[in-house]
Each structure stands twice: as structure tokens, then as C-alpha cells.
Amino acid sequence: MAISSLVIHNPIPVARLSGGTNRVGIIRSHRSVAFDVHPQSKPSNGMAASPLNHLHLHTEAPPRTDFVDSSTSHLCRYEEMLSVPPKSPREVIASKWHEIHGSTEWENLLDPLHPWLRREIIKYGEFAQAAYDAFDFDRFSEHCGSCKYNKCKFFDSLGLIHNGYEVTEYIHAMSHLHMPRWLERSHLVNTWSKDSNWIGFVAVSNNEETERIGRRDIVVTWRGTMAPSEWYDNLQRELEPFGHGEARVEHGFWSIYTSKSASTRYNKCSASEQAMREITRLVKQYQTRGEEVSLTITGHSLGGALALFNAYEAAQSIPGVHISVISFASPRVGNAAFRDELHHLGIKILRVVLKQDIVPKMPGFILNEGLERFEDITGPLEWVYTHAGKELKLDACASPYLKRGLNPMGFHSVETYMHLVDGFAKTGSGFRADAKRDITLVNKACDLLADELRIPPWWQQEANKGLVCNEYGRWVRPRRDPEDIPSPAKKH
Amino acid sequence: MAISSLVIHNPIPVARLSGGTNRVGIIRSHRSVAFDVHPQSKPSNGMAASPLNHLHLHTEAPPRTDFVDSSTSHLCRYEEMLSVPPKSPREVIASKWHEIHGSTEWENLLDPLHPWLRREIIKYGEFAQAAYDAFDFDRFSEHCGSCKYNKCKFFDSLGLIHNGYEVTEYIHAMSHLHMPRWLERSHLVNTWSKDSNWIGFVAVSNNEETERIGRRDIVVTWRGTMAPSEWYDNLQRELEPFGHGEARVEHGFWSIYTSKSASTRYNKCSASEQAMREITRLVKQYQTRGEEVSLTITGHSLGGALALFNAYEAAQSIPGVHISVISFASPRVGNAAFRDELHHLGIKILRVVLKQDIVPKMPGFILNEGLERFEDITGPLEWVYTHAGKELKLDACASPYLKRGLNPMGFHSVETYMHLVDGFAKTGSGFRADAKRDITLVNKACDLLADELRIPPWWQQEANKGLVCNEYGRWVRPRRDPEDIPSPAKKH
């Protein structure tokens, strides 16, 4: 829906295309999406096909020749992998952590992708995914919009107990602006909060992980939004001034980062203040012990935008800490002056971006796509959105496991990003033969895996939506474990 | 979809209505649906509301006065019931089983509804529901369209181990006609069957149940279709001759009951032949022992139609057995001559019908609704569909637990029928105060329970769609237990 609205409002004529109806022509203008049709692509089966898919699949695409996985051997490989543990080895990366976190702007590390960097990117991607997996989306729950687990058992509940980190604090956010479809709200009258949503968490590496990675790593993870359609309204918005210089940022994102209200339970402090207070506390705690400390900020989608604000603030107020942002599917956040300020503050930013995902093209998709070629002439424009940092660009066509065709949800999902990072060796080399990450995870919350793998789409779901049969034989909604019920008193 | 198409094609002017746009006027012509708006009805929340709901809720409805549950006490009652076992007592009904199965055409048993009859209707409703619960709808399974469990553990797997019956045989069906959206087919190439679906089962009462109910009861259960939209295409079809007389039946239903093909694995015999062979075997087995035997045939929706064919055949070929049909939401199946033949064969038919469900009005909804008033003049028409047997007519408005508004899936579901049978005391008396059936079950596969009950819609689902994490930490589809894999060799 977001796609078609977007496309209809902003058609770009694509010169190399001819023929077709007007509507097909418009759809085709998504070059990066519409032309990466794999030679093996076939019409989807009746269940999976959408009108957009059909429309797309009927366009004629030039066959790709740089694709090494054109046989059906990937299906055999998938079967073989089922009896191999899905984890890559955890090498000791202490000697190289500065480079892995951008001290040399990831020079010679991205293409081909260094295996240690690949593993660390996926580690932070799992943090970003955890922010969705732990979120209570159930509108019939009085705790809708909160984190389902308390911070002590967070990673344990998500099967991430061995990741080497401990959660130290949760962050909640509200927005004074009307952010369409951002706030998840319970249908019920009595709820834990009417204004706030759980928006992320702060974690710190334990001693073992600290030794492996060469420093005490404080991680802030910002939750995003999974559905690209939620972004549509923001396309219309303008940048607003930020700080004292020429920097401008998207005001909807900024509002979520900074809004607070004395009348709320969870946002008497803004998300910004909550995050900065916890980061400051942890940095002080570990620096006092004489440890080297890094701050790594991660997030997916909207979370990638919030990560930039957070990095900006931290760099201004906390000296002597290496700050990096590793974001996934982040939209543009501000103008060139904002980008330059981030750069001057010494923040290292690695944006992982999927060619077929439309969200990193937002906001300002049309304006920027059109202006990019003129940048040399126009110079950095004050009111034009731009990206900051280095880019690791993924291509869904590199994976023989994914369906072809338009799939906004699938191409925007963190799990898809992690799958493609895992399979990325270097540009154009096809899917990495020894990639071990569980491919099944891609379809957790979308419908992107090729049908022949037989993985149901949208498979991540609770048995009976969490209802259980009680001692009397009746189906009831169990109460949340008291220790997992959010409470402002438990904070800080 | 079915509704709106149906309505738009077949508007009926309703004299007592005036004003409104053409479209609203047409929707209003569903009197039974559109005017039973409960005084408590409120616009649904954003999540549950559909445009049709809105359309419906905006019509002006006269307040009902015959409704005893107009307070919010039903919410309290729901909470109280959570700690009471959901089963009614199992009285010994041996002395009255002939009447319960229609020997006196249910005279004085239906309104008010006799508690023994109510319990037996729900018992057979649970058979009808079991035919859905055990069906493999998963198109990524190579066993899609089969029964998930073998017959020995059928009731056990469905939590119905104490119902007093044992499954003795499964029935499979195919159709030589193109029956739109009837056959559930796997997406995979190698599947258990390409032509056939599991369509029902034959069960027989155990000794304990036989003693309680006064005879050995052979039950044939026919699976139907849950989605009313599947019926739409059949609306266009005509009756076809049946037998040697004037009887005419719907040829799509008849095709499912009688199709067979030597090239298939599961339908070398038709559903009819499979059912009749097993019934004949069981009747002989128990009659040889000198036991009194009854045949009770049940089914929901399409299953109700197949039940009539099955009863007709059994009555012709097996003398000396009391045959009754207890059907739920059955469409019309044949003409008045077919009805009369069923009657002359001594078959007792009880149709449980919900006023708000459109399926029992099919096929021939418009034609019949219009002609009913002229029946005295025209007499039984050879080419007009008609219902057979006695009717127990339920009204969704009698339950304070259900949402108002158009809801074709909800009003057609077996669980909704069982909920309303459980709550039915007599016409106009409101919901029975001591109804004990678990109300939560209504929302298993629809969205019909009032939001304030906080029961998620469509809650019946498997954890992670059946995927499990294997010993290596990978998510995989477990193989079906070999004893549950269908095989033609296991039959007979």
C-alpha cells in the first residue's frame, strides 16, 4: 500500500523501459526492485501471489549472468545444513576491534567483507531483532507496547543467553507529534501506559565477551518499525532545524527521541534522557575501573534514525569513548550539515542497506534520487535529506533461497538483512558457500523464502496466541509473570 | 466477498425500510442480519472494524426489548465461569433416545429445548468440529488435505478422549467437477494424494456410552467448508435429477459424494461407497450380537448436505436401523421431491440453523425467499431447492458474548453454533444462565467474541506453525509421525 501510493504520487520515467501500460510503467520505475528478477524466478503459487507480484513478474527482465547459484543445488545445501550448528566460530577479535568499529572507515573490510566484521554485524543485528521479538504487540493485552520480559531474563527468554551481554536498562518513548501507526496501544481501558512504548534497551558486555572483543562494550539498541507502510506519511514532512548550526533533521524521528511529559508514567524523562543517563552511568563505572570502553549503537529502520541522534548526543557529552553506529535499513535522518557534524564528532557509522528495501530511500526518496546526479553542481543542500557514514550494500538477488518479486515487508526485515550479511562474501560473488546462519529465520515474520524450501511464511507465532487450558479445562489468557510486568518504580 | 456479491446480484426490496442509498438499502435487505443490532452495540475498535461492519452499524435499528442480558453482568459471569468445569452432566438418556433422535419429530423437545437433547446436539457438534480440527490445511505439508492423526488416536489427539466413541474408518472424497476452493492441495510436487481430501470418519459408541444412550450408536461425520465465500459459485448451479423419481439435488454436492477414479490412491471407491461399506459392516457386527443399533449422521455446512445423501442411501439399503441426521449450518440440498423421499424413508432430520448465517439460505437463496410465501399456491416445485426436516433456529442476538455486525465466518462456524445451542433455553428467553460451555472456543477460528472479553480472534494456531528447533539449533519442519501418514494400504 505504501509502495503503490508512493509510486503513483511520484512516477519517475525510466528511459530504458518502453511499452506497457502506464501503471506497469510506474511500477517499473522502482528500478532496484523491479529489475532484479532472478532467471529462476517463476510465478508464485496461488497462495503467495499478490497482484503486485504478478504485475512485477510479468515485466521482462534481462537475465543475470553474475549469479553463481543458478542451479538447484541450494535446496540440497539447505537440507545438508539442517544438521550443522548455525553459528560461526567466535574468534578473539581484540586485536582488531578498532578497525571493526570503523577507526579506518572500514577501508578494505567491506568488499570483500571481513569474516570478523561479518560476525560482529550479525551480533548487533540480533540485538536489533531482539527489540522486536521481545515487544508485546498483542492489543488484547493490558501490557501491549511494553517489553514482554524483565531485563534480567531478557536474552535468556529470547534464546540469546550466550551472546555475552547483559541488559542493564530499558528505554521508553512517546511522541508529542501524531506519528501514524507508530504507537502500539492496547484495546483495553486499564493498561500499563497510554502514552509510551518500550523503544529499546542498554546492554553491556560481560567479562568473557569483553576479553574476546578487546574492550567493555556498551550497546544501545533502538527498536524500529517493521511495516514500511508506516513511513508513508513521513514522506510528506520537512526537515526541522537541529542544534545551533545548519543541521536539519526529520522532525517525526526527533519527536520520538525527545518527547516527554510529567503526566506520563514512563516518559517523565525522554528516551534521549533515559539512554544518556544509563550510558553515562556505565561509562563512568567501567572507566573508573580503568577499562577501555566502547559505545556501539544499533537499530533497525526508525531505530537506525534514533541511533544517530543518540550517537550525536553521546559524542558531545562523553569524551574518550569510541562511538560507532551499526544500523540496518535506516532511513535518511537529516541533511548534509547533520551528516558533517556526525562526522566531525568522530562517530563511525556503518549502514547496512538492502538494495531492494525502500525504507533506506526514505524520506526524500524522489527528491534525492533525482538530485544525486547533480550533487557536484548544487553542493550539499540545506533542506535535502542525505545519508551519513559508510554503506554495506546487500542485494537480495545474491541469495538463491529468496523469492523474487516485490516484497516490502520481506526486504525490510532484520532477519533478511542478517541472512544476506551472512551470505555476503564480496559484490557479485553470489551467496557464500559456508554461510551457516539458519535460513528458516528469514520467514519468521514475512513471506520471502522460496516455496521449495517448504518453510511456512510468517511462522513466528505463539501456540493459541498465548491462551492456555486451565485446570478446569477452559481456555484462558494467563496473567503475565509479575516480575515481567512493567512498573515505573522498577526503573532506575 | 460472498455476501456483497450475493447481495448486489439479488436485491430484495424490503417494504418496511425506507431511505438510505441503494447500497445501504440492499444490505438492509438481509433482515435477519441487519436488524438484530443489540442496544449495547458499539462501533468496533479500529482493528476489528470492516467497512461492512461500519455500514451495518450505521443503520438505525429499533432497540430490542426481549433481551434479558442487557446489563454488563455477562462479563462478570464470564470471569466466574473460568473456574467451573465446562461440561454439562452426562445423564443416562437410554429411556428417551428414540425421541431425542426424532421418533416424534422432536415434538415438545425443541422450544424449550430439552436439556438431554441439547447435550446430544453438542456431542454431535463436537464430531463436526473435530473434522475441521484434525484436517491438515497446511499447503507446505506433503500431507495437506489429509487427517493429521491416525484413527486410533483421533479423539485423544483432539482432547475428546472421554466422548465415548471410537473411530473405525476414514472417508476420502474427490470431485470430477470443478468445485471452486473445495479441494485443499499441497504446494509440493510429491504429496500423499493429488485428487482426494479427507472428508470424514465413521465412529461407534463404546460399551459405557452405549449403556448411557440406550443403543449402539454408529456415527458418520462429514467435514464441510468453513468459508462461506466458497459457496458463491454454487449459487449459479442448477439441480440435477436424482434417483428414478422427481427428486433433484445440487450436482456439486452430489459429485463430491459419488466421484471415484481407478487412477487415484484414495478414491478407487467413492466417499459414498466407503461410508456405506463401513456402516454396513458395523451394523452387521452389532446386530449379530443382538444389539439395537442406531445410525446418526452429522456434518456442518457442505457436510450437512453429504449427511443427507448418506442417510438416503443407508435408509434404502439397511433396514431395521433408526437413522437420524443432526446437521449444522447445512445449505439446501435438493427439491421438495427429494425432501419427501427422505421423509418417506423414515429418516429423522434435525437441522440446527443460525438466523444470521447465510449458508443455510443457499443455494437458491433469492428464489426460495421470494417463493416461500406462495408455496400454498404453487405447491412443491420440481426445480426449487428446499430444506428437509425439523429446524432448531438459533439467534446470535441471544448471546451477550458475541459482537454485532455482519460476520459471515463467525456466524457460520461450528463453535458459534455450539455456543448458541448451549445458551438456548427457548425462543426469546435470552442466554441460558447455567450454560457451561467454554465461551472462549467461539473465537478459535473467527472474530466474533465481544472485545471486552479480551479473547484474541482466530486464536487456534500451532506454535511457530509447527516448526521446531532441532538439536543443532535450527528451525525445521518435523516429519509426521509415521503412524499418522496416510496410506491406502492402511485402509480396510
Side-chain angles (χ1 to χ4, degrees), chain A residues 81 84 436 461-462 474, chain B residues 81 84 436 461-462 474:
Chain A
M81 275 198 298
V84 176
K436 288 199 189 68
Q461 60 180 31
E462 262 188 302
R474 290 183 182 271
Chain B
M81 274 198 299
V84 176
K436 288 201 191 66
Q461 60 181 32
E462 260 188 303
R474 290 183 183 273

